[in-house]
Structure formats: C-alpha cells, structure tokens
Amino acid sequence: MPILTLKGISQEFGGLRALDGVDLEVEEQQIYGIIGPNGAGKTTLFNLITGIYEPTEGRIFFRGHDISNARAYQVASMGIARTFQNIRLFQKLSVLDNVRMGSYGVTRSGFWECMLRLPRCRREEKQVTQEAEELLDKVGLLEKKMEYAVNLAYGEQRRLEIARALALKPTLLLLDEPAAGMNAGEKAELMELIYHLQEQMKLTILLVEHDMNLVMNICERIAVLDYGRKIADGRPEEVKQDERVIQSYLGVEA
Amino acid sequence: MFLEQLLNGLTLGSTYALIALGYTMVYGIIQLINFAHGEIYMIGAFVGLFMVSVLGTNIIVAMAGAMVFCMLVGMMIERVAYRPLRGKSSRLSALISAIGVSIFLQTLLALIAGINTRSYPNVINNRTFDLGFAEVSLLQILILGLSALLMIGLQIMIHKTRIGKAMRASSQDLDASYLMGINVNRVISFTFAIGSALAAAGGIMVGIYYNAVWPYMGMMAGLKAFAAAVLGGIGSIPGAMIGGLTLGVLEIMGVAYLTSSYKDAIAFGILILVLLIRPQGLLGQKVAKKV
Amino acid sequence: MDELLTQYIDPYYLRLLILIGINIILALGLNIITGVTGQLSMGHAGFMSLGAYTSAILSMQFACPFWLSLLAGAMVAAFFGFLIGIPTLRLEGDYLAMVTIGFAEIIRVFFLNFEPGGKAVGLAGIPQHTNFLMVFILVVVIIFLNARLLNSRVGRAWYAIRENEIAAEACGVDTTRLKVMAFTVGSFLGGLGGGLYAHYMFFIRPQDFGFMKSIELLNMVVLGGMGSIPGTIIGATVLTLAPEFLRIVAEYRLLFYGALLVILMIFRPNGLLGDVRVYDIRKRWFRKEVQGHANINS
C-alpha cells in the first residue's frame, strides 16, 4: 500500500488555480522527486499535504487515513515532517533547542509536568536532548549546538532544518528545495547526506527541486508539474524521455 | 431626537476619523502603531488655542498655523525617535519608543500649559438651525464640512499626485519601492506630516466643540482613534474614515439609549465584537499566509 | 516580620523592595505572553485589577483568609486571560494588541461603575497582609518554576511560536492551545501581583490600573530583553526605581522617563539584556584567556 496518496487535488487562490487535479502515489521508503519550473505548484502541494492549506478539491491519504482537512500540527504529529523553501528556523533559539523543538510532536509532557519537572518530563527531556545531539552529529552541527540558529551559515541552516524535521521521527519527510542557493559541491554533499539518512532511518522522502539533474541521481520516481498539472510521472529515465516534459521543462536547454 | 443623535455621532466620529487617518497611514507604510499620534492631536488643540487667545488671530489662521506646526512636530518625532530604530530592531522597540515620545510630550505640555482644562474663547458665533426633523448647530456643520473637505483632499492627494503614488507604492512594499528609486525616507516623513496635520485639525475642532483642552486629552482620543483604525481595517484609508464615523455614531447612540456610565467602554466593546467576526476589520484585506 | 526588618532596613527601602517584587511577578506574567510567546498584550493592568479587586473584596467583605483571596484573585484573572486568549485563534499582531487594550479599558470602566468596588472612589482600608518576606518567597518560587517551565517542552514551544509560528506547527505544536495557555498563565501571575498590590497599598482605585499601568509593565518586559527572565527582573527593578531616582528632577520626572525610553530603544533595541546569554559571556572570557596565554607564549 502506498504511504501517501493524493487523489485529484486542486487548489485555488482567489480564482487562480495553483494546482489542477493532481494524483500522486508515494510508496514506502521511496525517494520521490517532484520537479517543475518556478510557479508549477510544487510548494503549494507541500503546503496541502502538511495541512497549511485545505485542498479546494480532492483528498489526501496518509497510511490510509484521510488527512485532507487535518491541521498542520496534527499532520506533524502523525509523522510527516518537512523543511521549508525559505528556511524557517527558530532564529533566536540555540541550534540544540531548534532540534529539541522538532520532537514536540512525539513527546507528551504537559504544563504541570514541565513546571514541576515530574518524572515523565524529566525522562523526555533527557531522551530528547540525547536524540537531538545524535541528529546534530549526523548533520555535522554538534559543535555549534549552543549557537543561535540565526548565526549559522546558510548551508548549515539548511542542514539544521533537516535535523529538526528528523527529530519528529517522521515516516514521511518532505524536503522543499533543500539545495536551493548552494554551489555544486555543497549540493552533491547534501544529496549524499539525504541518501544516507534515508537508508539509515528507513524514511520515505518527498523531494521538491527544480534542478532536474540533481533529482535524477537519487530519486527512484519522479513527478513533473507544470502550471499546476502533473504532466508526467515515472522512473527518472522514463521521465527524461517524455515528450511533454522535454517540451515544457527541458525545452529551453534541449 | 434620533437624527440629532445621529448628527452628534457623525460629528464626534469625523474627529475620530481625522485622527485615525494618521494612525492608519503610518501603519500602512511602516507597520508602527504611532502612539504619539494622540499627543499630536493634543498639541494641535493647544497651538490653536495659543494663536487664538494669545496672538489674537482668527480661527482659520489658527487652524492653518496649528496644522503646519504639527506637521513639523510629526516629522521631527519620526526623525528623532523612529528613524534611528528602523530596520535594526523589532517593531516592539519602535512601539516602546513611540510610547516614550507620548509620555514626554504629555508631560512637556503639562509643564508648559499646566494641567488645568482650558477652553477656547468664543471664536465662532454658534447658532442652531431647526431643520424640522432635527436641530443642528453651525459648529456641527462646520466640523462635518471641514472633515469631509480634508478627507476628500487627502483622497485626491493620494490618488492624483506623485507623492501620493509613492505613498501607495510604499505601503504595498517598502523595500521594492526603495529599489524602484522612491525616496522612502521622504515618503515616510511626508506621511507623518500629513497625518499630523489632520490630527491637529481634529484637535482644534474637538477643543472648540467640547470646550476643553488639556494635556491628557490625547490619550483616550488616541486610543479610540486607533480602535477606529483597527475597526476599519488598519492600513486602509477609507477604512479609517468608516471606522471613525461608525465608532462615533455607536458611542453617542450607546450613551443616549443605553447607559452613559459605560461611555468609554462602548467603543472597545464594539471593536472586540467586530474583530471576532471579521478579524481583518471592516475594510481590511485578508492577507494570505505565505509559506 | 517586617517590623523586625525595619530595624535594619530603612522603611522607605523596604517599601521599594516590596514594590520591585510585586512588579517582578507582574512583569514575569506579561513576559510569558509577550516576551516569550510573542503575543503583544497591552492590557496587563486589566488582569492586575481583576486580581486586586477580587482579593480585596474577598478579604474585606467575606473575611477570607489572605492566601485564599490571593489565590481566588489570581484564578479570576487567569479565567479572563483564558477568555482573552481565545480571540488569538484568529487575530494576529496589532489586532490582538488592540483587543487587549480594549479589554483592559472595559474592565476599568466596569470597576468605575462597580458598587462593591466603591466605583470611582475605589476601595480603602484593605488589610495590609503583604509583607516583604512573603513577596520575597513568592518571587523566588515563581522565578524558579518559571525558569523550569521555559526550559522545557512547553516553554520551548512558546518561544517557537514567537520565532516562527508556521515552523512551530510543523513541529506538531497546537499553536492555538499553547497561546491560550500562555495567556492563562500570564494572567494568573497578573492577578497574583494585583492581589499582593492591593493588600500592600491599603486602597485601590480603577485609575491605578489604566492604560499607562499596562504600558509601564510592557516597558519592563521590553526594556529588560524580551523573553529573558533575568532581563525581565532587571527591567522591573530599573523601572520601579527610575521614578525614585528621577525624584530629584521633581516635576520633570516623567519627561525624563519618556526620553529615557526613546534613548534606550535607540541604543539597546533588543532590551538591556536582549541577546545576552550566560553561554556567550563564558565563551568570550574563555577566548580572552586563550588569547592571553598566546600572547605570553609569543
């Protein structure tokens, strides 16, 4: 059974159709790429899945549950984590706190437990801190754990966002142009990191990117969006040869 | 009776609207609640009073004088207390700075003019006209007429002149306007000047109408005008006008038909109710969350 | 107890210390709402007055024990804080600020017309139960619990809402719930501070809790450094003492106070302690030490 299913998803903003009847099926432990030119509706698709918008038409299923109308925090607590195209860190929190914050959805201690440091809170704090440090180690930021997030270099901020998303222990991870603004070397490094994380943590990853070559290497399956419509989907080599894709997307280069 | 109350309400409301315009224009461009704005209104009332009773000018000269004076004060406040903060601090620090200016000006005027309530000499030969269905005073007609004139003037300025265009552009996107070659600092200065002039006019009219001018008059008037701006949808100029008139009318009606002891609570009660139903205010535009 | 203390401390200073303590409690409450969670509240004095009047009336007319009236006052304030928190479901930024101003004004006008509260005259002859030791203990306990709370799952979520609401939701934070919680807790402290104030000052009037009082409390939070407990403590202390120091300039006092706010915001836009962390200070010292050694060696 696919872990994520989108059926006939459309989204309108004041008469403007940002997405038009998009279907998508993501299998467990796949790295699934979504590509398309700017304004194709990729980020809108992410915002729909993560509950920031509600779809105008269509339904979204995550492991068989209908999450079309779920709120963002509910979606997160179900195990869907994400990063943002325009990095959204908690700038004036430490790097460590950013990652500890990421585990909010998988911890439970409430107001009284936190204020009085009752056993559950103490246990969770310890565990969350330890896990956060492990994650920071994985993305190579452990030494900077006490820095303010805002003081990190650009590439480090991107990696921190990924670490924060992973703290939620997601089964599905949504990465919105994680390599945007990086140079070729950094991009390759990041893709390697993503690839390793996926293997280690048995993640399903949905990856938005408009650099097609980048996606070709690590994605098992790719969907192509153009003007809010899905114009192709399949294995990278299939997509590469698709007439419509070449026309609308690669046309410029070909 | 009802129509008379309506007229009273519109008169009060038009002065709220004049002050609210200053809040909303400044907010539209730099997202600052200019808490010192109520004090500008108070200073306007005092300058007008000074010109009429000490310099012996007529009321029209006094009003022009007060408007020009307050323009300068408004621009100076922006220069001294807000511009140094712009861009390098949170909006909250600018707000505290505005509050500082407000306390400063209140105290300054209390020191200069004393804390007693003063009143305008008889500057207008007030008469009442019986329209058959309602009685209306000359003063009310003048206030309504002048407010309408100022608001129409403002609309023309904003929609027909170069600087007006620059103001509209800046309220859409300050950074982009700057990149397009608009002198943003000048636009902001100008916005403060215009807002202050309108507030000064409002101050003089209220001073004459209610026969009371005192250093702390700006506080409640400022709060209510801000409420009016929010009610109309902050940042929206027609919103400020409608918000001001609505609050004025409802406040007078509330006092006339419900209770006078809750006068100052009525405006805020209405505001809260409206915001619960329409969070963006009456004419405010809903800003889509951008992710 | 306080009689004993006055043998060692001038009653004038003791009074200032008590007022500082009460202001710290009030400001810590507002700090949770505005400083930590980032929800601009400009009506904290409204919650303070609810606590003050509720506890005073209970003490005077129902002969309630002091602790009970204090707690009841704080609970009433917390309940209204909860109610005010609900519009935050839909309102943002300055619209919320306006609602809090409006709410505090409505409360003030309500007490102006409230028969059991003595209307405009206010309540006089409230028993003076608040003393130094009690305020001191309360302040210490509240700082301790507050610090724990802020350095925990709930506290981090509050900070996260201030920093980036959308990202906070993406981490699983029910932002609505957490904001209402912040308002409730903050108002509880507001009510508690109000109760202590009423039982210290002998008498209270509606105008003691006007817009200017709310602004004064907000200044304490912003001046010290938003969201920082030490910052809030310093802000409350400085702004409680400022009028006393400015007494030498007599009637120019508020003139200086206003100018001081502007100047401080220009030179320390993030507050006195904004962005200052123990960690950074330690690091800087450590670095200097290292450099010092290097110099000696070379």
Side-chain angles (χ1 to χ4, degrees):
Chain A
M1 194 180 79
I3 183 167
L4 181 75
T5 312
L6 274 63
K7 280 190 179 148
I9 290 294
S10 297
Q11 178 71 14
E12 277 182 23
F13 296 112
L16 189 84
R17 221 166 167 82
L19 284 175
D20 193 2
V22 173
D23 296 309
L24 213 64
E25 278 194 359
V26 182
E27 295 294 334
E28 202 118 14
Q29 294 191 38
Q30 234 173 13
I31 299 186
Y32 196 115
I34 296 176
I35 58 174
N38 279 327
K42 295 167 300 192
T43 296
T44 305
L45 196 69
F46 267 26
N47 290 339
L48 281 169
I49 298 170
T50 51
I52 289 173
Y53 305 145
E54 280 184 23
T56 316
E57 283 164 33
R59 310 233 60 90
I60 304 168
F61 298 91
F62 176 62
R63 307 174 120 186
H65 300 285
D66 187 345
I67 59 163
S68 321
N69 303 319
R71 302 252 322 263
Y73 75 92
Q74 291 166 330
V75 174
S77 301
M78 291 175 84
I80 302 182
R82 72 173 291 181
T83 67
F84 297 88
Q85 186 179 355
N86 46 344
I87 306 172
R88 284 179 175 273
L89 288 170
F90 307 121
Q91 301 194 332
K92 285 286 176 73
L93 291 188
S94 70
V95 167
L96 179 67
D97 275 343
N98 265 274
V99 183
R100 289 203 284 188
M101 193 52 224
S103 60
Y104 186 92
V106 287
T107 42
R108 285 289 160 267
S109 34
F111 174 76
W112 296 106
E113 286 165 302
C114 284
M115 192 169 70
L116 303 173
R117 276 284 185 283
L118 296 183
R120 172 153 78 169
C121 173
R122 242 180 285 170
R123 195 177 58 234
E124 281 185 353
E125 277 297 301
K126 220 172 135 189
Q127 193 187 346
V128 157
T129 308
Q130 193 196 336
E131 284 167 2
E133 288 182 345
E134 282 167 21
L135 281 170
L136 282 174
D137 196 25
K138 272 183 194 158
V139 299
L141 286 174
L142 188 55
E143 278 176 18
K144 303 209 166 176
K145 68 175 181 176
M146 289 309 286
E147 294 287 338
Y148 275 139
V150 68
N151 294 338
L152 293 186
Y154 181 80
E156 292 173 331
Q157 295 199 3
R158 288 257 175 230
R159 277 182 280 146
L160 176 56
E161 233 196 354
I162 294 175
R164 183 181 70 189
L166 290 174
L168 193 62
K169 297 186 186 136
T171 37
L172 176 62
L173 176 64
L174 278 61
L175 300 174
D176 197 349
E177 300 202 21
M182 292 183 169
N183 64 37
E186 287 172 324
K187 274 186 183 178
E189 221 172 277
L190 184 80
M191 287 302 152
E192 190 144 324
L193 175 71
I194 292 171
Y195 190 76
H196 281 302
L197 289 173
Q198 191 271 336
E199 274 203 324
Q200 273 175 24
M201 307 177 93
K202 309 258 179 278
L203 288 168
T204 311
I205 294 180
L206 198 57
L207 178 75
V208 156
E209 187 53 68
H210 68 228
D211 183 339
M212 192 154 173
N213 295 325
L214 205 73
V215 178
M216 290 294 169
N217 295 326
I218 67 167
C219 292
E220 290 152 60
R221 213 178 159 83
I222 288 173
V224 187
L225 290 184
D226 192 24
Y227 291 112
R229 286 167 188 273
K230 188 175 80 173
I231 55 171
D233 99 74
R235 303 173 56 77
E237 49 273 29
E238 291 166 14
V239 169
K240 228 184 230 170
Q241 275 143 29
D242 190 288
E243 276 300 307
R244 296 171 68 190
V245 176
I246 295 169
Q247 229 169 24
S248 79
Y249 193 86
L250 303 171
V252 199
E253 293 161 39
Chain B
M1 179 63 186
F2 175 80
L3 286 170
E4 266 167 38
Q5 298 294 4
L6 185 68
L7 265 173
N8 291 339
L10 288 175
T11 312
L12 178 65
S14 61
T15 63
Y16 285 160
L18 284 178
I19 316 173
L21 283 168
Y23 277 111
T24 232
M25 286 193 292
V26 166
Y27 190 91
I29 294 183
I30 53 175
Q31 283 78 48
L32 166 74
I33 307 174
N34 178 16
F35 260 102
H37 195 59
E39 269 53 62
I40 303 261
Y41 151 94
M42 174 269 294
I43 290 173
F46 266 107
V47 172
L49 178 66
F50 177 79
M51 292 184 74
V52 168
S53 50
V54 180
L55 302 182
T57 64
N58 74 31
I59 186 66
I60 298 168
V61 177
M63 184 163 275
M67 286 170 79
V68 170
F69 186 84
C70 284
M71 276 180 152
L72 296 175
V73 174
M75 283 158 72
M76 203 169 76
I77 292 174
E78 190 272 328
R79 189 70 193 78
V80 173
Y82 305 152
R83 194 177 296 179
L85 281 155
R86 202 178 304 143
K88 65 168 193 177
S89 67
S90 75
R91 285 169 44 205
L92 208 53
S93 355
L95 186 74
I96 301 289
S97 188
I99 290 164
V101 172
S102 169
I103 296 173
F104 181 87
L105 291 177
Q106 262 177 27
T107 321
L108 189 67
L109 261 289
L111 287 171
I112 296 172
I115 53 166
N116 294 328
T117 305
R118 290 157 183 268
S119 54
Y120 271 82
N122 201 5
V123 284
I124 287 163
N125 201 0
N126 202 8
R127 281 167 293 167
T128 48
F129 303 95
D130 195 347
L131 301 179
F133 53 86
E135 279 197 351
V136 54
S137 70
L138 178 64
L139 200 52
Q140 284 183 321
I141 296 175
L142 286 175
I143 289 177
L144 282 170
L146 190 57
S147 309
L149 220 70
L150 286 171
M151 288 187 227
I152 293 168
L154 177 71
Q155 283 292 10
I156 293 174
M157 191 209 74
I158 282 176
H159 289 280
K160 302 283 183 216
T161 63
R162 251 176 84 81
I163 185 83
K165 204 176 192 175
M167 281 169 72
R168 278 184 291 143
S170 304
S171 73
Q172 289 285 323
D173 190 330
L174 201 59
D175 295 334
S177 304
Y178 174 74
L179 293 175
M180 296 302 288
I182 292 175
N183 184 340
V184 172
N185 278 335
R186 228 187 89 220
V187 171
I188 294 172
S189 245
F190 188 76
T191 308
F192 272 86
I194 296 294
S196 305
L198 294 176
I204 292 181
M205 289 194 260
V206 169
I208 297 174
Y209 188 57
Y210 289 106
N211 227 339
V213 178
W214 61 306
Y216 303 106
M217 69 190 279
M219 169 86 85
M220 190 45 81
L223 279 185
K224 283 188 188 163
F226 178 50
V230 173
L231 179 69
I234 194 151
S236 153
I237 287 176
M241 298 177 187
I242 288 173
L245 292 174
T246 313
L247 271 196
V249 169
L250 290 177
E251 193 173 311
I252 294 287
M253 293 291 173
V255 170
Y257 295 106
L258 296 172
T259 160
S260 61
S261 29
Y262 283 87
K263 177 173 178 288
D264 284 339
I266 292 171
F268 299 111
I270 294 163
L271 177 83
I272 292 175
L273 282 180
V274 170
L275 286 184
L276 286 179
I277 300 160
R278 240 187 105 76
Q280 69 273 38
L282 293 171
L283 296 188
Q285 274 162 8
K286 202 164 185 171
V287 186
K289 255 200 282 188
K290 189 115 177 81
V291 181
Chain C
M1 176 64 207
D2 281 19
E3 287 78 49
L4 194 72
L5 274 172
T6 46
Q7 291 177 0
Y8 305 98
I9 309 173
D10 188 311
Y12 169 71
Y13 292 118
L14 196 64
R15 177 190 160 83
L16 279 182
L17 286 175
I18 291 176
L19 288 179
I20 288 172
I22 293 175
N23 278 336
I24 287 176
I25 294 174
L26 289 164
L28 282 175
L30 182 59
N31 183 48
I32 289 179
I33 301 171
T34 301
V36 177
T37 317
Q39 307 299 304
L40 181 53
S41 165
M42 303 179 80
H44 205 56
F47 300 117
M48 186 184 170
S49 70
L50 284 169
Y53 272 95
T54 308
S55 63
I57 290 171
L58 284 175
S59 287
M60 289 170 72
Q61 278 155 29
F62 298 90
C64 258
F66 177 47
W67 284 104
L68 195 63
S69 13
L70 209 56
L71 188 69
M75 295 292 276
V76 168
F79 174 71
F80 278 92
F82 170 78
L83 285 188
I84 267 297
I86 291 176
T88 59
L89 307 179
R90 303 187 62 192
L91 294 176
E92 274 169 22
D94 300 325
Y95 286 85
L96 179 67
M98 191 62 236
V99 167
T100 55
I101 295 175
F103 169 75
E105 279 301 307
I106 291 173
I107 301 227
R108 188 180 62 85
V109 175
F110 168 78
F111 282 124
L112 270 176
N113 294 287
F114 187 53
E115 202 75 60
K119 293 195 162 185
V121 186
L123 282 174
I126 305 164
Q128 196 187 34
H129 287 312
T130 304
N131 61 41
F132 175 75
L133 186 70
M134 168 192 304
V135 172
F136 183 77
I137 291 173
L138 272 175
V139 166
V140 170
V141 170
I142 287 169
I143 290 174
F144 179 69
L145 292 180
N146 202 336
R148 281 189 150 183
L149 193 58
L150 292 189
N151 183 28
S152 75
R153 177 175 183 264
V154 171
R156 276 196 298 272
W158 280 339
Y159 281 115
I161 290 173
R162 177 188 80 183
E163 291 295 311
N164 199 317
E165 205 169 327
I166 288 172
E169 287 228 14
C171 292
V173 180
D174 181 352
T175 51
T176 302
R177 206 179 107 82
L178 265 288
K179 280 192 228 167
V180 172
M181 198 192 275
F183 263 98
T184 312
V185 179
S187 316
F188 181 89
L189 290 179
L192 186 68
L196 288 168
Y197 178 84
H199 286 87
Y200 183 67
M201 298 303 274
F202 291 116
F203 82 106
I204 49 175
R205 297 167 306 174
Q207 66 258 43
D208 296 339
F209 311 102
F211 180 60
M212 276 322 289
K213 185 74 194 178
S214 296
I215 291 304
E216 207 184 307
L217 294 169
L218 183 65
N219 287 341
M220 291 174 186
V221 172
V222 179
L223 196 78
M226 300 268 292
S228 142
I229 294 178
T232 306
I233 295 169
I234 288 179
T237 310
V238 168
L239 287 188
T240 314
L241 294 179
E244 304 299 324
F245 284 124
L246 291 174
R247 238 174 242 280
I248 36 171
V249 286
E251 67 261 46
Y252 297 97
R253 194 164 59 97
L254 280 174
L255 208 61
F256 278 89
Y257 182 87
L260 194 72
L261 288 183
V262 176
I263 293 166
L264 271 170
M265 283 302 117
I266 290 174
F267 291 104
R268 295 287 305 166
N270 292 320
L272 291 171
L273 284 195
D275 293 348
V276 176
R277 295 186 304 173
V278 180
Y279 169 77
D280 292 325
I281 296 170
R282 231 188 267 154
K283 198 172 82 176
R284 205 170 304 150
W285 282 349
F286 182 67
R287 265 195 203 145
K288 271 195 190 130
E289 239 169 68
V290 174
Q291 272 173 3
H293 284 297
N295 285 339
I296 292 165
N297 290 338
S298 66

